[in-house]
Amino acid sequence: MRNSAAFINAIEVVSAPDVVIPDTATSLFPIGEAGGLSYYAYHTVYRLNIGGSAITSTNDTLGRNWSPDRSYLLSQSTAKSVSVEPKIVQYPDGGSPLIAPPSVYASAVHMADARVGDPNFNVTWQLDVDSAFGYLVRLHFCDIISKSLNDLYFNVYINGMTAISGLDLSTVSGGQLATAYFKDVVMNASLASDRITVQIGPLKEDTGRIDALLNGLEVMKMSNSVGSLDGEFGVDGTKASDSSSNKKAVAAVGFAMMFGAFAGLGAMAVKWYKRPQDWRKRNSFSSWLLPIHTGQSSFVSSKGGSGSGFGSKSGYTFSSTLGLGRYFSLSELQEATKNWDANAIVGVGGFGNVYLGELDDGTKVAVKRGNPQSEQGMTEFQTEIQMLSKLRHRHLVSLIGYCDENSEMILVYEYMANGPFRDHIYGKDLPPLSWKQRLEICIGAARGLHYLHTGTAQGIIHRDVKTTNILLDENFVAKVSDFGLSKDAPGNQTHVSTAVKGSFGYLDPEYFRRQQLTDKSDVYSFGVVLLETLCARPALDPALPREQVNLAEWAMQWKRKCLIEKIIDPRLIGTINNESLNKYVEAAEKCLAEHGVDRPSMGDVLWNLEYALQLQEANPPVSSETTSANDENEEKCEDEHGKGEKSESSATTAPSVGTNVSDDSSTAVANELFAQLAGMKGR
């Protein structure tokens, strides 16, 4: 304060690397990135070892003291402590024990057993703070409770606002369990008030176990506008900015925005009063009702009347409320794709081409550019927009933004570095995936499809499930893509009557015969994906003998002969636990049931695949044990099905399953076998 004295007894200088306080963090509000953190001074208000005991300075990597968290828990009955040996804690590339010692990450608090079928509560910590300052909240995580990857998803809230949504520690920690991870969140004084509340809770989506955890928590006071951590004056006597004046400015802006909104509504009311007589016949009421419209074409256009074709001047435009993300200019995307360089094409479809692009900040994206000559492409683009505007899930490819400049129709997606799942099974000279990796990819895809079927009020049927529409990111996390053929589920009805569309080899035969679409049609297609994953061959291959052309039929024949292990990918032989294989094939067989009512839901399929993964991890096979187990399995199958079928199969030579097959085999068989099906629109 003015006219007062200050003194100090000692100064201790501790050298620490830049990684301890990065220069950027996530801003809680407004949502975005806060920079320049290295220019602030910090005072640690709380440093808590969540779920563990006190850690003294002698046991810390930087001489810090960590306190237990129990006294700050709002309800101890909602929390359960867990701990492991600190030596199992790993640090990722770029991480450092200086951020927090292993003993912090070796203990945690997670959700207690509520003894209910669907627990839905948060674990809460409350911390009193000085409301005159902003704070840096550092959250420490380490998944020491999961048994497998991609099984734990949860949310983190600070003062009732979402700080982290759908946190998957398996991904952010580089695909490893028990790996340290921290997240910094900046909150200004207006949000901090006189208390900071930190909460963890389940994702409320069917994406794995219902749980959440936190290992450590630090709350650091940030210096104010004059560099002070205690008073309102700086060393030069400058007074810190008055928060009340900021509030007045905010109020003034609020009033201005409210006035603008009323003015806009008034203008629209005048427009409505002066509306043309033929307004009902026009393509879009927005072209005359709104005070301003672009007059350009867009993805969302009327199906009837003039101007329904691609490139028409219908007056439609994108709305930010559609959830389509960032707007890109055409020049930005031209630069990102090197002016639509043919060498940047990573995919081709009925809609047009998909290009690999790189934005100004170095982010790689997939740019889907519509073909103006393709009626199919236009229809699929409209469908994909409608679907993506209401879908957000870890195992669905995310939309980043769009461009509708100069009659273009362009969507920008997150880039999936490892491309289609099929490329890693056969057809490309890529390193083979292990059985565990294939199971995890199938589980991820199943989670995405299960969310499609159940995650929205009505549900969505994908209608084109196949290995080329399951994409893999840099960590081989599977994400379902291509919603151009998707349909809203029938709701209270049993099916949707619609023209048959899809990909040959994956088509549900019941849907093909009756033209009645249900979510069980996706289940059938996914069953083919499971066999494709196991056998490493296309769903249809016309180059093979007639009885082997259709993978689903051929594999089920070998399953009935109890010799499914004879046709699996040779690269997997000796690596699959026999019980895991049986559970996996059982799931595929149920998916391929002739009638939809006999097929499981995607939730049931997901459960079986997760069980197969647990069996594999619990008892990885040894080659000799695998041979013995296969013999036992054949004897068991012989008892179940009788010796006649088994003896018949003994005279049959199992074909050699190769990996060098043409990428275009599915298309070839479509032309060869199904050309006679008039009106059938295969892809």
Side-chain angles (χ1 to χ4, degrees), residues 189-515:
S190 62
L191 291 177
S193 184
D194 59 351
R195 174 174 291 172
I196 293 178
T197 301
V198 177
Q199 297 174 296
I200 57 173
L203 186 58
K204 300 177 185 176
E205 293 180 4
D206 190 5
T207 54
R209 65 182 294 167
I210 301 176
D211 209 341
L213 91 161
L214 182 63
N215 301 73
L217 175 62
E218 296 178 84
V219 177
M220 291 173 264
K221 182 195 294 184
M222 301 174 66
S223 56
N224 58 19
S225 58
V226 293
S228 173
L229 280 166
D230 187 42
E232 59 180 336
F233 295 98
V235 293
D236 58 355
T238 306
K239 188 176 182 180
S241 57
D242 188 1
S243 60
S244 62
S245 62
N246 291 338
K247 293 179 180 178
K248 291 178 181 178
V250 171
V253 172
F255 278 117
M257 293 177 65
M258 182 176 66
F259 177 79
F262 278 117
L265 287 172
M268 291 178 66
V270 172
K271 280 273 190 177
W272 174 261
Y273 180 74
K274 297 181 178 181
R275 65 189 183 277
Q277 296 296 322
D278 62 344
W279 68 276
R280 292 181 184 275
K281 299 179 181 179
R282 300 198 177 189
N283 285 335
S284 169
F285 72 89
S286 65
S287 63
W288 57 266
L289 176 61
L290 297 179
I292 299 175
H293 65 93
T294 62
Q296 298 292 331
S297 67
S298 87
F299 299 134
V300 186
S301 63
S302 170
K303 291 185 178 180
S306 61
S308 62
F310 182 78
S312 63
K313 307 296 182 182
S314 64
Y316 285 92
T317 186
F318 271 127
S319 166
S320 60
T321 60
L322 285 177
L324 294 176
R326 170 183 169 186
Y327 177 81
F328 290 91
S329 68
L330 184 58
S331 60
E332 280 184 286
L333 298 181
Q334 286 175 326
E335 182 179 351
T337 59
K338 299 180 180 178
N339 200 24
W340 312 112
D341 184 3
N343 294 324
I345 295 176
V346 293
V348 179
F351 52 84
N353 296 332
V354 179
Y355 297 83
L356 169 60
E358 185 171 339
L359 304 181
D360 291 339
D361 61 359
T363 302
K364 290 185 177 181
V365 293
V367 183
K368 181 186 283 190
R369 188 186 191 195
N371 178 3
Q373 307 302 322
S374 171
E375 180 181 350
Q376 174 193 356
M378 180 62 177
T379 303
E380 291 185 13
F381 255 74
Q382 291 176 348
T383 303
E384 191 141 0
I385 287 166
Q386 294 167 9
M387 297 302 167
L388 288 171
S389 64
K390 55 186 176 184
L391 297 175
R392 288 291 184 274
H393 191 270
R394 166 177 164 71
H395 292 290
L396 302 180
V397 173
S398 298
L399 181 66
I400 294 175
Y402 67 94
C403 173
D404 62 350
E405 184 180 334
N406 294 342
S407 300
E408 291 277 359
M409 55 176 189
I410 303 173
L411 295 178
V412 182
Y413 302 87
E414 62 175 320
Y415 175 61
M416 305 298 287
N418 280 309
F421 181 27
R422 187 180 76 169
D423 289 352
H424 296 268
I425 309 173
Y426 60 86
K428 295 289 179 70
D429 188 18
L430 295 173
L433 297 175
S434 67
W435 178 237
K436 180 182 176 183
Q437 284 179 303
R438 299 188 196 201
L439 278 174
E440 289 172 342
I441 289 168
C442 289
I443 288 170
R447 284 177 177 156
L449 290 172
H450 181 50
Y451 171 75
L452 281 183
H453 292 174
T454 63
T456 61
Q458 189 174 356
I460 292 169
I461 304 171
H462 188 279
R463 210 162 49 144
D464 199 18
V465 178
K466 54 185 178 180
T467 49
T468 51
N469 284 341
I470 298 172
L471 305 182
L472 307 177
D473 69 8
E474 65 277 6
N475 296 315
F476 286 91
V477 174
K479 302 196 180 190
V480 179
S481 68
D482 197 347
F483 303 94
L485 294 184
S486 299
K487 277 275 189 184
D488 286 324
N492 295 328
Q493 305 298 318
T494 58
H495 63 269
V496 178
S497 295
T498 179
V500 177
K501 291 186 180 181
S503 295
F504 294 108
Y506 301 89
L507 272 176
D508 170 14
E510 186 176 56
Y511 169 42
F512 178 78
R513 290 193 307 267
R514 304 174 63 184
Q515 297 192 16

Side-chain angles (χ1 to χ4, degrees), residues 595-609:
H595 302 288
V597 293
D598 297 326
R599 299 172 198 152
S601 67
M602 280 308 305
D604 293 333
V605 177
L606 175 59
W607 187 92
N608 278 283
L609 293 177

